[in-house]
Amino acid sequence: DADVTQTPRNRITKTGKRIMLECSQTKGHDRMYWYRQDPGLGLRLIYYSFDVKDINKGEISDGYSVSRQAQAKFSLSLESAIPNQTALYFCATSAIGGVGETQYFGPGTRLLVL
Amino acid sequence: GENVGLHLPTLSVQEGDNSIINCAYSNSASDYFIWYKQESGKGPQFIIDIRSNMDKRQGQRVTVLLNKTVKHLSLQIAATQPGDSAVYFCAERPDYGGATNKLIFGTGTLLAVQP
């Protein structure tokens, strides 16, 4: 969905490096999410945020941190990357309540940690 | 992504046939369900959703059926086309009322459309 963009689309890094993945949205949604996707597994929630002042851990937050710089921007950081963080990372957004509860995803970032 | 289809159940259909993709969800308290389509190298794309107070909902060429008794969700695609080839997965929201809007995602089914 072009309304949700992620940068970079692909990244190769080395163990121990700090990296940041960025997400921007033009949907005007308040809620933003970071997920990772591994082969054979469903999407797993890393962190989520319901507004600029709100940050919540998901089911697999260890080793990750996030920053909600503005309503439209939500970044994910790996402070010291390790090989088992090799995965596809997706950002998603949703509106509050009503029919807007659907989460809309960005195109993903493919991360390889050597 | 390219590896999403590995180790997934596969449904192979002929172009023009109808497809039925099934999903068993886990939480009887889930009140909202979504079907997503994920093509190779792309992010999940919303297809259709349904609330727990409904049994059926129709969209363009797609129908979602919800059976709460057996915690089963299905996606029916009419007149399947080659462009429908993708991984399809369901998501449920176990948090009644959506205070957190957390979703639980299934692992998906790979739909392969044969010309």
Side-chain angles (χ1 to χ4, degrees):
Chain A
D1 187 357
D3 297 325
V4 183
T5 57
Q6 293 182 233
T7 56
R9 292 297 314 278
N10 294 279
R11 178 74 184 269
I12 300 173
T13 192
K14 294 182 178 180
T15 296
K17 294 292 188 180
R18 180 182 188 276
I19 65 164
M20 179 182 290
L21 309 183
E22 309 220 23
C23 176
S24 295
Q25 53 111 349
T26 59
K27 299 182 81 70
H29 288 168
D30 286 314
R31 300 182 174 189
M32 299 187 74
Y33 312 79
W34 273 106
Y35 291 92
R36 67 177 279 175
Q37 186 177 49
D38 298 276
L41 298 178
L43 289 160
R44 293 183 292 166
L45 183 64
I46 306 172
Y47 271 97
Y48 62 103
S49 168
F50 284 176
D51 65 41
V52 176
K53 298 177 183 178
D54 179 74
I55 300 292
N56 304 281
K57 292 183 177 181
E59 58 181 305
I60 54 164
S61 59
D62 287 348
Y64 302 94
S65 63
V66 291
S67 174
R68 184 79 184 268
Q69 303 95 320
Q71 186 208 35
K73 295 185 182 295
F74 192 35
S75 59
L76 175 72
S77 294
L78 285 68
E79 297 300 326
S80 180
I82 56 177
N84 76 2
Q85 291 178 311
T86 293
L88 272 169
Y89 290 85
F90 290 102
C91 173
T93 75
S94 70
I96 296 175
V99 296
E101 292 143 327
T102 303
Q103 293 184 23
Y104 297 90
F105 287 82
T109 294
R110 180 174 296 279
L111 175 66
L112 173 61
V113 183
L114 300 175
Chain B
E2 289 83 347
N3 294 331
V4 171
L6 292 178
H7 314 300
L8 295 177
T10 300
L11 175 64
S12 184
V13 299
Q14 291 294 128
E15 181 178 358
D17 287 351
N18 296 332
S19 302
I20 301 176
I21 301 170
N22 298 303
C23 176
Y25 64 91
S26 59
N27 194 318
S28 57
S30 291
D31 70 335
Y32 179 60
F33 305 86
I34 310 171
W35 276 103
Y36 287 95
K37 171 186 180 183
Q38 187 173 18
E39 297 174 275
S40 182
K42 297 184 178 180
Q45 177 187 358
F46 169 82
I47 301 174
I48 192 168
D49 59 0
I50 188 168
R51 296 184 180 278
S52 58
N53 61 355
M54 303 172 68
D55 297 321
K56 178 180 179 179
R57 190 165 188 223
Q58 290 184 293
Q60 186 176 13
R61 275 202 311 119
V62 294
T63 300
V64 55
L65 299 176
L66 175 63
N67 185 330
K68 295 182 286 294
T69 302
V70 294
K71 294 189 290 185
H72 184 268
L73 196 66
S74 68
L75 177 70
Q76 300 178 358
I77 304 174
T80 313
Q81 303 168 0
D84 294 327
S85 293
V87 173
Y88 291 81
F89 54 89
C90 65
E92 61 177 302
R93 188 178 70 184
D95 166 40
Y96 183 78
T100 63
N101 204 32
K102 287 183 182 179
L103 296 176
I104 298 174
F105 293 86
T107 55
T109 296
L110 176 62
L111 177 64
V113 182
Q114 308 301 322

